[in-house]
Amino acid sequence: MRSRILPLALAALLVACGGCGARAGTGGKPRLTAAFYPLAWLATQVAGPGFYVQNLTRPGAEPHDLELTPRQVIDVGESKLAFYVKGVQPAVDKAVRQHAKDHSLDAESVVTTLPAPQDEASDGAVDPHLWLDPSRFATVATALGERLARIDAENAAGYRTRAAQVVTRLNALDAEFRTGLRACARKEIVTGHAAFGYLAARYGLTQVGVAGLDPEAEPSPQRLADLTGLVRRTGATTVFTETLASPKTADTLAREAGVRTEVLDPVEGVRPGSHDDYFSIMRRDLATLRTALGCS
């Protein structure tokens, strides 16, 4: 019985609340709900002063683990736009499917996607980590600007202008990566989980994920043994860990293979109080890759 009561209660609250989300706690602005950090960052850049941008994932939290509160589900339903990447956060996918199908933007829907790692792709799953390719993220920025321009036609020029400015910066970042990773002694990047497929594909690298798309997945002992041999054969010097996920498995692999660990940030979130943003994290990742791969 309880499982039926909660959806009914949420539906009642959505009807009763109407557009109250645009009035309570938003400064009178329409609400744009963004699923997690890179989307919230992009939404803020493109929306400017026209929208209140709400990040559904708190700073420092692992976005894959997000569970929405009833209030957040209501926020998704009453927002002018729910901005997400399908496949990253099941709770957000469900909230959009049930309450925001007609006012949502899935970033995956506007770019060419890559398949999930081979051992996870049997059901046709795709890799959702598209923001790690600045060129694809630029395409998302343009699409977001156009969507906001349709929602708020009176201020359409501002959304399109800000989107174009972000695209220019993302294209410049893409050029930095292409130049910085053009001539490297090694091409394999051994990562804690397989978040860097888009980055690897864009810049001619080969991703070797200790785990799959789920950062909490535990590889089998045989998988760890195979990876240890691969690290030794390729001459890799580094196993990359992350900022928001446990480094335990990557540390074990590095110890077995006799190499070091370094942080390669998948830009899925920032820690509370951090002054980082998308660009500073991506440029730090570039510097880390250049050192680890012996790039000239």
Side-chain angles (χ1 to χ4, degrees):
M1 180 66 71
R2 184 180 178 185
S3 62
R4 296 182 58 192
I5 291 173
L6 183 57
L8 289 172
L10 283 173
L13 281 169
L14 283 167
V15 171
C17 192
C20 68
R23 299 192 295 273
T26 68
K29 298 178 181 180
R31 185 188 304 271
L32 192 167
T33 52
F36 59 110
Y37 174 74
L39 301 185
W41 173 85
L42 184 62
T44 300
Q45 302 299 306
V46 176
F51 282 79
Y52 171 81
V53 176
Q54 175 183 353
N55 186 350
L56 294 172
T57 306
R58 61 181 174 80
E62 164 54 55
H64 295 267
D65 299 334
L66 178 68
E67 294 293 337
L68 295 179
T69 66
R71 176 68 253 181
Q72 287 178 309
V73 174
I74 292 171
D75 290 341
V76 170
E78 69 181 16
S79 62
K80 285 291 185 179
L81 185 67
F83 187 31
Y84 73 118
V85 180
K86 185 178 179 181
V88 175
Q89 299 161 297
V92 176
D93 292 353
K94 181 179 179 181
V96 169
R97 187 169 61 250
Q98 293 183 343
H99 303 294
K101 285 183 68 173
D102 61 345
H103 56 274
S104 61
L105 176 59
D106 173 12
E108 278 186 0
S109 69
V110 301
V111 300
T112 301
T113 56
L114 296 176
Q118 189 172 5
D119 58 347
E120 299 185 37
S122 59
D123 60 353
V126 302
D127 182 347
H129 300 86
L130 57 90
W131 60 91
L132 291 171
D133 173 358
S135 66
R136 279 181 169 87
F137 210 30
T139 299
V140 176
T142 299
L144 178 61
E146 289 301 315
R147 187 65 175 271
L148 295 180
R150 292 199 299 273
I151 292 171
D152 181 15
E154 184 177 345
N155 297 298
Y159 302 121
R160 291 182 173 123
T161 296
R162 285 187 291 272
Q165 291 170 342
V166 177
V167 167
T168 297
R169 295 179 66 197
L170 287 168
N171 286 340
L173 180 65
D174 177 51
E176 290 178 36
F177 268 81
R178 283 189 282 112
T179 299
L181 299 175
R182 183 173 293 149
C184 302
R186 293 169 293 279
K187 293 293 185 180
E188 293 80 13
I189 55 172
V190 184
T191 61
H193 90 284
F196 297 90
Y198 287 94
L199 187 150
R202 178 66 177 170
Y203 305 114
L205 306 176
T206 300
Q207 174 183 237
V208 180
V210 176
L213 294 176
D214 180 357
E216 301 304 322
E218 290 285 343
S220 67
Q222 183 59 54
R223 173 66 172 163
L224 276 176
D226 291 344
L227 287 170
T228 300
L230 177 65
V231 169
R232 290 170 176 163
R233 287 195 305 274
T234 60
T237 64
T238 308
V239 174
F240 294 108
T241 64
E242 300 178 15
T243 49
L244 301 180
S246 170
K248 179 181 177 181
T249 303
D251 286 344
T252 299
L253 173 59
R255 185 168 59 251
E256 291 294 322
V259 298
R260 66 176 179 266
T261 59
E262 294 288 349
V263 172
L264 193 65
D265 196 326
V267 202
E268 293 180 345
V270 294
R271 295 189 181 280
S274 170
H275 296 294
D276 275 324
D277 69 358
Y278 175 84
F279 283 107
S280 66
I281 297 170
M282 288 291 286
R283 289 191 169 102
R284 187 161 61 243
D285 280 350
L286 175 57
T288 299
L289 285 169
R290 282 179 50 79
T291 299
L293 299 178
C295 305
S296 59

